[in-house]
Amino acid sequence: MLAVAVNGSPHKKGNTYDLLNQVLQPLKEAGWDTQLLQVGGTPIKPCTACFGCFKRKDKTCVLPPDSFAGIMPELLKADAIILGSPTYYANITGEMKSLLDRVGFVATANGGLLQGKIGASVVAMRRAGGVIAFDAMNRLFLISGMLVPGSTYWNIGVGMAPGEVVKDQEGMANMTHLGRTIAWLGKAIQPHQSAFPPLTPY
């Protein structure tokens, strides 16, 4: 099975990266293949709601190729998608927001491409606002017919300077538990993936 994590932070090796790696470690130990992709700090245009993807229905976006073009195919291969973002003014980064909108539109336009996949989000924050960022990413999963596993707390780690989040013992333990839960859920649902009812795009 394949877990694909996407780092929405422009700091490639910052706190969000550390949280995502902590989630991926138990999955690796359980025999999963893993990828960690970078969207933060890359060129990615926002969705324009042109509905071109609904007309073409080829699983791509009609906007000129940018980092979305490399990420979307990997998300479609994944059994589990883990999104990560730092907290910017009580929300996700602009790059992550652009990715969410375009992934959601393209997936819906093509009959619900994310349905039945596992979705989890993790957030790095300095002090507050993390729950809003957490909720923003989870909404993509919930509207897409995905399965969202819980853990021991909200999937949030506290830290500001690079590497500081690893000192948040409770947060890091939560990430480890989340990874184990994703591995367990993936094993449980694998025989039933084809049984999910089809989504009807609007």
Side-chain angles (χ1 to χ4, degrees), residues 71-200:
I71 293 174
M72 185 67 183
E74 301 308 310
L75 298 183
L76 297 182
K77 296 175 191 175
D79 298 287
I81 298 170
I82 305 146
L83 303 177
S85 178
T87 305
Y88 280 19
Y89 286 90
N91 217 312
I92 55 180
T93 61
E95 297 95 328
M96 180 57 75
K97 174 59 174 167
S98 294
L99 180 68
L100 293 181
D101 290 346
R102 290 173 66 184
V103 166
F105 249 70
V106 170
T108 301
N110 289 274
L113 299 176
L114 302 181
Q115 185 182 22
K117 297 180 183 293
I118 298 167
S121 57
V122 305
V123 175
M125 71 175 190
R126 182 188 71 85
R127 184 174 178 85
V131 172
I132 298 172
F134 179 61
D135 179 64
M137 291 184 284
N138 284 340
R139 287 178 185 271
L140 171 68
F141 307 143
L142 296 172
I143 201 173
S144 301
M146 297 175 68
L147 304 175
V148 183
S151 190
T152 57
Y153 199 68
W154 315 127
N155 304 329
I156 293 172
V158 178
M160 184 175 179
E164 191 174 0
V165 76
V166 299
K167 300 175 185 177
D168 177 8
Q169 295 183 2
E170 182 180 359
M172 296 301 278
N174 184 96
M175 300 303 149
T176 298
H177 183 271
L178 177 62
R180 290 172 179 163
T181 303
I182 292 170
W184 174 86
L185 182 57
K187 184 177 180 180
I189 68 173
Q190 192 173 23
H192 311 289
Q193 288 282 22
S194 61
F196 283 94
L199 293 180
T200 303

Side-chain angles (χ1 to χ4, degrees), residues 21-73:
N21 267 320
Q22 191 76 8
V23 177
L24 292 177
Q25 189 56 41
L27 289 160
K28 293 176 184 177
E29 294 170 1
W32 286 50
D33 295 321
T34 64
Q35 292 184 50
L36 205 167
L37 307 178
Q38 184 72 29
V39 70
T42 70
I44 180 166
K45 300 174 184 67
C47 178
T48 62
C50 69
F51 285 86
C53 53
F54 279 78
K55 297 173 184 176
R56 297 201 322 192
K57 296 186 183 297
D58 63 356
K59 303 180 183 180
T60 66
C61 178
V62 302
L63 293 177
D66 53 20
S67 55
F68 171 87
I71 293 174
M72 185 67 183

